[in-house]
Amino acid sequence: IKEVEAIAGQRRFMHWELAFADLFARRGGFDLVLGNPPWLKVEWNEAGILGEANPMVAIRKLNATDLAQQRNEAFSKNPNLKAEWTTELEEAGATQNYLNAQQNYSLLKGMKANLYKCFMPLGWMLAGQHGVVGYLHPEGPYDDPTGGALREAMYLRLRKHFQFTNVKLLFHEIVIWIKYSINIYG
């Protein structure tokens, strides 16, 4: 139990149904859920980890053979790096497995997991039958060829859709032609 609690504290897991059991029992969920979920694909970035030992690995686009050679050199020069690398690999793999697991996010079956897509069904669950969810997110769910189940659930709940492009560069991380939207679900 100590180890589970330590991991939960470190990873900041949130069991909404337990933390707000009284609210779910009385009201069926929150009245309002608002957010700008992270627009992140969970991917293993080996070059990013190895780049801590040799920044050129992170800058250059290396093929698999060169990357393996750089990895071996980095491990031999920095004995602690292999443990950090392994931890990062395990974490990325476990997160991908969790986010892609059908029992966790059945509406995302066949799609590449992006954290904002995972927030959509979570928000709908948190809002219950009568709550409203407002999210700022990319337009991916509207045109993803493998996103039929998510799109169907989304259209059933969609009340308002306000689409934007980043012409005024309000978000410096987003290139100008990327479309995103404010979506109101009920």
Side-chain angles (χ1 to χ4, degrees), residues 24-120:
F24 281 99
R26 283 185 284 120
R27 303 182 54 96
F30 291 91
D31 294 330
L32 182 63
V33 176
L34 295 174
N36 178 5
W39 306 5
L40 297 172
K41 291 179 185 170
V42 178
E43 298 174 326
W44 165 237
N45 181 8
E46 180 176 18
I49 304 301
L50 295 177
E52 292 178 21
N54 179 357
M56 293 309 289
V57 174
I59 295 170
R60 292 185 181 144
K61 299 279 186 197
L62 300 176
N63 63 35
T65 304
D66 292 339
L67 189 58
Q69 181 182 355
Q70 290 296 323
R71 179 187 324 117
N72 292 336
E73 287 177 22
F75 288 171
S76 65
K77 290 178 184 175
N78 186 345
N80 295 331
L81 184 61
K82 186 170 186 173
E84 293 172 26
W85 181 90
T86 303
T87 299
E88 290 287 332
L89 175 62
E90 289 170 347
E91 185 174 326
T95 302
Q96 284 177 326
N97 288 339
Y98 181 83
L99 296 177
N100 290 321
Q102 192 172 350
Q103 65 271 28
N104 297 326
Y105 295 99
S106 60
L107 293 175
L108 304 182
K109 182 180 179 186
M111 300 176 79
K112 288 187 177 180
N114 190 313
L115 289 179
Y116 79 87
K117 291 177 186 173
C118 297
F119 272 76
M120 294 171 71

